[in-house]
Amino acid sequence: MRAGESVALGLCLEASIPFALGHELIRQGTDRLTLVGPISDMLFDQLIGAGCVDEVVAAWVGNVSAGLGHNYRRACEHGEPRPLRVRDHSNYSLALALLAGAHGLPYVPTRTLVGSDLVESGGFEAAEFEGEPVVRVRPLRPDVAVLHVQRASADGLCHVWGNLGVAQEAALAARAVVIVAEEIVPREELVADPNRVLVPPHKVVAVAHEPRGAHPSPVLGCYDRDHAHFAEYHRRSRERADFEHWLDEWVLSVPDRGAYLRKLEP
């Protein structure tokens, strides 16, 4: 991923959030990103607080177990550490925008946003169908979609199960897909169960083997949600100075995911 690109993350809602990849983006100083996601959990907040983000396209940004993200609020209200543009969606309209992008459509109509001030935030157009008001949801086509999956082959086939959220819509809408996998398996194991293959491998530009790469979010069949880690982050990100100490402790001073996991050990 390069500076200035639009990146879709956290596409399975509360599960399988690619924290390992997000932390590497922070360590590499990747900036001017546009983040795309539905109920975007605290990885968005961390990237915003690290100064990596110019724009967010989402329904919500925060910490599902605690509330709105503190870095997100500071960026929106005070421009700290840098000003942040926000294009608001509902969860459903974001899914429709990615669906439109996936199918090459100019828009997808919906009645769910009629009368909502979300229509004024961009990405929408008020219209009529058979004399009734509708809203046209314009397509989203991210530069990159990142999927954290249970298993993948080296050539880009992957299996995902559990809550898929908008993962398939985003992967098909994106120009490229990056796979982060709990396990790398032979291709034959994946094609033997094609129902779980989420995205055509020709869209995949990179596959990374990163066990527990979604911690502290859960990955179905692999590990549960680390509630304490989420709670600690929310407490320590309430003030800017405390967040900077957290970021140094858990990201900037941690060279890779292996060191991160060793740090988690009691």
Side-chain angles (χ1 to χ4, degrees), residues 5-242:
E5 290 190 320
S6 57
V7 183
L9 298 166
L11 303 167
C12 295
L13 307 181
E14 293 183 50
S16 301
I17 301 169
F19 280 96
L21 182 139
H23 290 177
E24 186 59 31
L25 290 177
I26 293 171
R27 283 191 289 267
Q28 292 184 10
T30 309
D31 63 359
R32 295 182 287 110
L33 296 173
T34 294
L35 300 184
V36 179
I39 54 167
S40 310
D41 219 317
M42 69 182 193
L43 181 56
F44 271 43
D45 195 64
Q46 292 168 13
L47 287 159
I48 291 167
C52 298
V53 185
D54 275 1
E55 183 174 21
V56 164
V57 183
W60 185 81
V61 177
N63 187 327
V64 170
S65 61
L68 196 68
H70 298 307
N71 284 309
Y72 173 68
R73 182 186 292 276
R74 278 190 290 270
C76 289
E77 295 180 354
H78 305 295
E80 298 178 1
R82 61 193 299 170
L84 183 69
R85 299 187 303 273
V86 178
R87 289 167 54 193
D88 284 318
H89 271 268
S90 70
N91 279 324
Y92 185 55
S93 70
L94 186 75
L96 294 180
L98 292 169
L99 181 69
H103 290 276
L105 301 172
Y107 62 86
V108 170
T110 182
R111 290 192 171 96
T112 63
L113 296 181
V114 172
S116 168
D117 60 3
L118 283 178
V119 179
E120 302 171 6
S121 72
F124 307 103
E125 180 184 359
E128 286 190 358
F129 177 73
E130 295 184 344
E132 297 292 330
V134 296
V135 173
R136 294 173 178 168
V137 182
R138 299 190 185 102
L140 275 174
R141 299 186 181 93
D143 293 312
V144 182
V146 180
L147 303 180
H148 189 98
V149 305
Q150 281 90 343
R151 59 192 180 196
S153 62
D155 64 346
L157 281 171
C158 66
H159 275 179
V160 185
W161 56 90
N163 183 6
L164 299 180
V166 295
Q168 188 168 50
E169 292 87 347
L172 294 176
R175 294 174 173 85
V177 176
V178 171
I179 300 292
V180 184
E182 292 289 325
E183 184 182 13
I184 302 297
V185 300
R187 192 177 199 275
E188 292 72 24
E189 187 172 335
L190 298 166
V191 297
D193 189 4
N195 187 57
R196 290 181 174 180
V197 175
L198 194 68
V199 60
H202 70 265
K203 297 204 71 171
V204 176
V205 296
V207 176
H209 181 213
E210 204 64 84
R212 295 193 74 193
H215 177 274
S217 69
V219 176
L220 186 65
C222 299
Y223 44 89
D224 294 330
R225 190 177 194 269
D226 187 340
H227 296 285
H229 202 84
F230 277 91
E232 179 192 14
Y233 174 78
H234 195 69
R235 176 179 59 81
R236 293 183 60 183
S237 60
R238 186 174 296 276
E239 302 295 335
R240 176 70 192 173
D242 290 340

